[in-house]
Amino acid sequence: MRDVQSQLRQAIDDGQPVVLCRLVETRGSTPQKPGAAMLVYPNGAQAGTLGGGCVEAEVRRQALRLLLQAKPEIMTFHLDSDYGWDDGLICGGRMKVLMDPVGKDAATRDYYERLFSVAEQGGTEAIRIEGESHELRLFDIDSKLIASLRCDQNLADEAIAASIEPFQQRPRPRVEQGIAYLPYPPRCRLIIVGGGHVGKAVAALAQEADFDILICDDRAEYVTPERFPSAQRRIVGKLEEELPKLEIDARDFCLIVTRGHNHDEEALLRLVDRGAAYVGMIGSRRKIRLIFDDLREQGISEESLAAVFAPVGVEIGSQTVPEIAISIVAELISVRNLGAARSRDLRSCDR
């Protein structure tokens, strides 16, 4: 949904009728997973993708039919020889797609406006995929119902809310008793300390992986909009002054990639044991050992130091800056999706 959010918002603002096609359930091998979305315009143009190939063309054709009827529909596509991909690939799975015309109907427009907010802040959408009603319910991050569409009664609201999985478990889309649950986990913030080559490369990749970026460096020329165009926040100042000011919680990831040993140590001192989901520091094992020894003398506990990911990144034999950035972002995604403990288990297998 986040992939087509800006286009759908623009269509709503312009009064442009479109059909929002969303993958709500899959079985077997499919090119996309639940939550994938595609917009279809009256002229046949599209934004987003459900995986391409013949099935996407059929979804587009059916969406144009529904656009005239202005009624939602759920269709099931079996990825067999009838819907083989253009290159001959046959996935063999099944895709269930909700096709929802979004036009001038105020209730529909209002619902999707609320969905935009949930997609950014976190929450869960519950879609009834059995029967003819195609009910939509939207819950905030605390599982409180905040919007609904095509729901004639609210008797099911409490039961549906009780089935929502907590975001601490990083839930995945699922179907239960005819309801498709599409979670929108709150975006995580990546605090990058150091605006050099590695920090710049990591920021570009991490933004594509749905991290919000904060960059901090004591050199103004390294914290510019040109170097970090995707950053939500850019901080210039002494690390010992600026880092303690940051409010850090369990959705924050902290990456230390400064230009030198002393700056790395200063940053780690200010970020360790602050409640972040992840603290990682680049550097050789010798440098890390020296920094850890210094921090022990300053009263940092062994438990706190053990929680630091250092050396940082998944072991892929990286040598160039792009390769290092890939290894780091892979580790960030692993911790976000699997948790720190599981990610450490994987590190121990690799190293």
Side-chain angles (χ1 to χ4, degrees), residues 189-246:
R189 180 176 63 166
L190 173 60
I191 300 168
I192 302 176
V193 185
H197 296 305
V198 174
K200 181 174 180 290
V202 168
L205 278 177
Q207 189 272 334
E208 292 292 328
D210 279 341
F211 285 90
D212 290 334
I213 307 300
L214 183 154
I215 177 70
C216 180
D217 200 301
D218 61 340
R219 303 164 294 175
E221 65 270 24
Y222 282 83
V223 190
T224 64
E226 291 74 26
R227 287 183 62 80
F228 294 93
S230 63
Q232 279 70 35
R233 189 177 174 190
R234 306 175 192 89
I235 299 175
V236 179
K238 295 181 179 180
L239 302 184
E240 64 269 27
E241 295 177 359
E242 298 300 332
L243 293 181
K245 297 177 185 177
L246 295 178

Side-chain angles (χ1 to χ4, degrees), residues 170-190:
R170 200 70 187 178
R172 297 180 181 274
R174 76 186 200 283
V175 173
E176 183 178 304
Q177 296 183 347
I179 302 293
Y181 293 87
L182 301 182
Y184 294 89
R187 291 173 68 92
C188 295
R189 180 176 63 166
L190 173 60

Side-chain angles (χ1 to χ4, degrees), residues 1 161 205 213 273 334 339:
M1 182 62 196
L205 278 177
I213 307 300
D273 221 11
S334 175

Side-chain angles (χ1 to χ4, degrees), residues 263-330:
H263 292 87
D264 285 343
E265 183 172 324
E266 185 65 48
L268 185 56
L269 176 64
R270 307 299 175 176
L271 294 174
V272 72
D273 221 11
R274 295 275 301 276
Y278 171 99
V279 177
M281 184 176 67
I282 199 169
S284 67
R285 294 185 182 278
R286 179 179 180 277
K287 186 191 84 169
I288 291 165
R289 185 174 65 253
L290 292 174
I291 289 176
F292 279 18
D293 287 344
D294 286 347
L295 294 184
R296 288 187 186 96
E297 292 181 1
Q298 297 182 61
I300 303 300
S301 70
E302 290 292 343
E303 182 181 6
S304 297
L305 293 174
V308 177
F309 282 76
V312 71
V314 174
E315 180 54 65
I316 58 173
S318 54
Q319 298 181 21
T320 65
V321 168
E323 291 175 345
I324 293 169
I326 289 169
S327 75
I328 291 173
V329 175

Side-chain angles (χ1 to χ4, degrees), residues 156-181:
D157 293 349
E158 186 174 340
I160 293 174
S163 296
I164 294 175
E165 296 177 329
F167 281 100
Q168 292 85 345
Q169 300 176 7
R170 200 70 187 178
R172 297 180 181 274
R174 76 186 200 283
V175 173
E176 183 178 304
Q177 296 183 347
I179 302 293
Y181 293 87

Side-chain angles (χ1 to χ4, degrees), residues 13-256:
D13 290 344
D14 294 343
Q16 169 73 66
V18 291
V19 179
L20 176 60
C21 306
R22 289 191 288 163
L23 191 52
V24 293
E25 183 186 25
T26 62
R27 296 286 179 87
S29 179
T30 60
Q32 288 278 24
K33 298 304 178 184
M38 179 178 81
L39 281 185
V40 178
Y41 295 86
N43 64 359
Q46 73 179 62
T49 181
L50 298 180
C54 298
V55 68
E56 190 168 279
E58 178 63 14
V59 170
R60 188 164 56 246
R61 188 179 73 84
Q62 294 294 339
L64 292 174
R65 172 181 62 83
L66 292 173
L67 191 61
L68 297 175
Q69 300 177 5
K71 57 177 293 187
E73 188 172 316
I74 289 180
M75 295 191 65
T76 300
F77 300 89
H78 296 275
L79 306 185
D80 52 21
S81 57
D82 291 333
Y83 291 119
W85 261 220
D86 294 335
D87 60 3
L89 174 64
I90 299 174
C91 294
R94 187 186 78 182
M95 299 167 61
K96 188 168 286 190
V97 180
L98 169 64
M99 290 179 276
D100 206 353
V102 182
K104 297 182 179 180
D105 176 66
T108 301
R109 291 161 60 93
D110 290 346
Y111 177 84
Y112 283 111
E113 286 285 357
R114 300 296 296 273
L115 181 57
F116 296 151
S117 176
V118 164
E120 290 299 320
Q121 300 175 14
T124 303
E125 189 176 20
I127 302 174
R128 186 172 295 281
I129 62 175
E130 293 181 354
E132 301 296 326
S133 63
H134 310 317
E135 301 169 4
L136 304 180
R137 290 177 173 84
L138 195 58
F139 299 85
D140 66 13
I141 197 169
D142 297 317
S143 301
K144 178 183 177 181
L145 182 70
I146 58 174
S148 61
L149 183 64
R150 298 187 291 268
C151 298
D152 295 330
Q153 48 78 33
N154 296 324
L155 296 178
D157 293 349
E158 186 174 340
I160 293 174
S163 296
I164 294 175
E165 296 177 329
F167 281 100
Q168 292 85 345
Q169 300 176 7
R170 200 70 187 178
R172 297 180 181 274
R174 76 186 200 283
V175 173
E176 183 178 304
Q177 296 183 347
I179 302 293
Y181 293 87
L182 301 182
Y184 294 89
R187 291 173 68 92
C188 295
R189 180 176 63 166
L190 173 60
I191 300 168
I192 302 176
V193 185
H197 296 305
V198 174
K200 181 174 180 290
V202 168
L205 278 177
Q207 189 272 334
E208 292 292 328
D210 279 341
F211 285 90
D212 290 334
I213 307 300
L214 183 154
I215 177 70
C216 180
D217 200 301
D218 61 340
R219 303 164 294 175
E221 65 270 24
Y222 282 83
V223 190
T224 64
E226 291 74 26
R227 287 183 62 80
F228 294 93
S230 63
Q232 279 70 35
R233 189 177 174 190
R234 306 175 192 89
I235 299 175
V236 179
K238 295 181 179 180
L239 302 184
E240 64 269 27
E241 295 177 359
E242 298 300 332
L243 293 181
K245 297 177 185 177
L246 295 178
E247 294 185 5
I248 296 176
D249 62 30
R251 294 203 300 269
D252 286 323
F253 288 61
C254 303
L255 175 66
I256 301 169

